[in-house]
Amino acid sequence: MSINRVTISGNLGRDPELRATASGTQVCCLAVCVNTRQKVNGEWKDKANWVDVIFFGNRAESIARYLAKGSHVTIAGRLSQNTWETKDGQKRSKLEVVGEDIDFQGGKRSEQPAAENEQQSDVYDDDIPF
């Protein structure tokens, strides 16, 4: 039996990159920094591990719209080996996560001035008892 399931949690190292395939499918590429702790000279330090993640379809569009560099995400997906040949004939490969589920808090910062944000809070009625 084989199991190919990955869950990572970390911060985006750059803004999501959205593009489309020749057939029109949306593709969103992310670089997620996942830290691990390791002891160096008797002292615990964080080691950054960069994980390439790719999402497809409608979810790719939503991710590109709502996330930005620094956003914290938790992603579940599967590993995929991507192989290609360069123009000069060298064979290359990369292991990446094909995202299936994503959880994030917040998103891109609001571009609205503070006064507009305060006006939105006036929607709530102070007379409601709960």
Side-chain angles (χ1 to χ4, degrees):
M1 171 170 43
S2 295
I3 298 173
N4 185 356
R5 193 78 184 143
V6 176
T7 302
I8 61 170
S9 182
N11 295 325
L12 298 185
R14 64 178 186 264
D15 287 340
E17 298 173 10
L18 184 65
R19 59 183 172 81
T21 64
S23 65
T25 302
Q26 296 295 313
V27 179
C28 185
C29 299
L30 308 172
V32 182
C33 181
V34 180
N35 289 325
T36 55
R37 304 276 291 165
Q38 60 185 164
K39 209 168 197 178
V40 178
N41 298 327
E43 195 174 321
W44 287 100
K45 296 191 178 208
D46 284 331
K47 177 183 182 276
N49 298 288
W50 289 98
V51 180
D52 291 328
V53 181
I54 190 166
F55 279 91
F56 296 95
N58 292 336
R59 189 166 290 168
E61 292 180 66
S62 297
I63 290 167
R65 186 176 324 120
Y66 291 110
L67 296 181
K69 178 180 178 177
S71 298
H72 184 80
V73 295
T74 301
I75 296 170
R78 60 183 168 77
L79 291 175
S80 178
Q81 185 77 34
N82 187 2
T83 59
W84 69 96
E85 193 170 313
T86 63
K87 291 179 183 177
D88 61 356
Q90 293 181 358
K91 293 187 180 192
R92 303 284 177 148
S93 70
K94 172 173 76 168
L95 193 59
E96 60 191 0
V97 174
V98 175
E100 296 168 352
D101 294 312
I102 185 167
D103 183 31
F104 56 90
Q105 300 252 337
K108 290 186 176 178
R109 291 186 195 95
S110 173
E111 301 292 330
Q112 298 176 350
E116 287 183 34
N117 288 335
E118 289 173 12
Q119 288 174 352
Q120 290 177 357
S121 66
D122 293 340
V123 173
Y124 298 104
D125 188 351
D126 291 334
D127 295 333
I128 297 176
F130 53 89

